[in-house]
Amino acid sequence: MSVADFSPLEPLTSQNGETERPSLAPAASATPKPAVKINNVLATFSLGADLDLKEIVLRTRIAEYNPEKFAGCTIRLSEPKVSGFLYTTGNGVVTGAKSVEEAKRAAKKIARIVQKLGFAVQFKHFQVHNMTGTTQVDFPVQLERLVEILGSDCQYDPEIFPGLHYRMLDPFCTWCIFCSGKLVVTGASSVEAVESSARKVFEVLERVRVSLTEFAPIL
């Protein structure tokens, strides 16, 4: 398929003469879509009690605490390979997990470590705030045409950054799209949101795909 196979993008005009933007609703397609690989999950949790961070860092070898540089205590787990941050309020953050399950397992492990040190804590209020993932479509895309379709929902300035940022509201997340077909998603709060938004993005990209023979990136 080549660029010539696409008809030029023309504004859609309603009966009252107003210009309408093309619909972004996914069309039915039997083409298998690439999977999104989750690279990082950031989540928060609470231990329900105030913490003495100095005591925690003195009694465990995997904790670091330098209040002059950072208000929290850093705990680096080896299994799963996740970093956690604890604050005096009892609130915590985990980052570096490759799945929601791994993030929750790491948060619970940190809670058990603190509990074994003698603190009366309880694990609660676990919540995912940000998921980052990557994927790749098997064709280059024409970002200039994508700007015409997405309009004000995207930002693209190739002189500053080679990727196009697409801010999706439903589900809420941001996609960074490169002309090579590489995609990065950030800001999603669940796997379902990642998958749902990916389906919408893939369908739109099908409309701006470029054949490999016509794709000549600047080296």
Side-chain angles (χ1 to χ4, degrees), residues 1-3 6 139-142 208-215:
M1 182 179 294
S2 66
V3 176
F6 289 95
F139 52 84
V141 297
Q142 207 173 35
V208 293
R209 63 184 297 163
V210 180
S211 67
L212 293 176
T213 57
E214 295 172 313
F215 179 63

Side-chain angles (χ1 to χ4, degrees), residues 36-85:
V36 179
K37 179 182 178 182
I38 302 300
N39 299 317
N40 183 43
V41 176
L42 184 147
T44 59
F45 62 96
S46 174
L47 298 182
D50 292 340
L51 302 175
D52 185 339
L53 301 184
K54 290 183 178 180
E55 183 177 353
I56 291 175
V57 75
L58 288 174
R59 297 178 59 187
T60 177
R61 294 177 294 177
I62 61 173
E64 302 172 5
Y65 181 49
N66 187 342
E68 295 181 358
K69 294 184 177 181
F70 181 58
C73 169
T74 303
I75 296 180
R76 305 185 191 280
L77 302 178
S78 57
E79 178 53 42
K81 195 172 180 60
V82 171
S83 294
F85 306 96

Side-chain angles (χ1 to χ4, degrees), residues 50-138:
D50 292 340
L51 302 175
D52 185 339
L53 301 184
K54 290 183 178 180
E55 183 177 353
I56 291 175
V57 75
L58 288 174
R59 297 178 59 187
T60 177
R61 294 177 294 177
I62 61 173
E64 302 172 5
Y65 181 49
N66 187 342
E68 295 181 358
K69 294 184 177 181
F70 181 58
C73 169
T74 303
I75 296 180
R76 305 185 191 280
L77 302 178
S78 57
E79 178 53 42
K81 195 172 180 60
V82 171
S83 294
F85 306 96
L86 292 176
Y87 301 90
T88 55
T89 57
N91 294 325
V93 178
V94 287
T95 184
K98 307 300 183 184
S99 67
V100 175
E101 294 75 15
E102 189 173 81
K104 192 168 188 177
R105 183 158 56 94
K108 286 184 174 181
K109 188 171 184 177
I110 291 173
R112 286 196 298 270
I113 291 173
V114 175
Q115 193 174 50
K116 289 180 179 179
L117 295 178
F119 292 89
V121 299
Q122 293 182 338
F123 179 77
K124 54 185 180 180
H125 304 321
F126 177 84
Q127 183 178 2
V128 175
H129 290 271
N130 183 27
M131 299 182 72
T132 302
T134 56
T135 187
Q136 174 95 33
V137 293
D138 59 359

Side-chain angles (χ1 to χ4, degrees), residues 141-161:
V141 297
Q142 207 173 35
L143 297 183
E144 290 77 9
R145 292 193 63 201
L146 193 57
V147 171
E148 296 182 37
I149 295 176
L150 299 177
S152 61
D153 292 334
C154 73
Q155 182 178 7
Y156 178 53
D157 189 342
E159 295 182 356
I160 298 178
F161 184 72

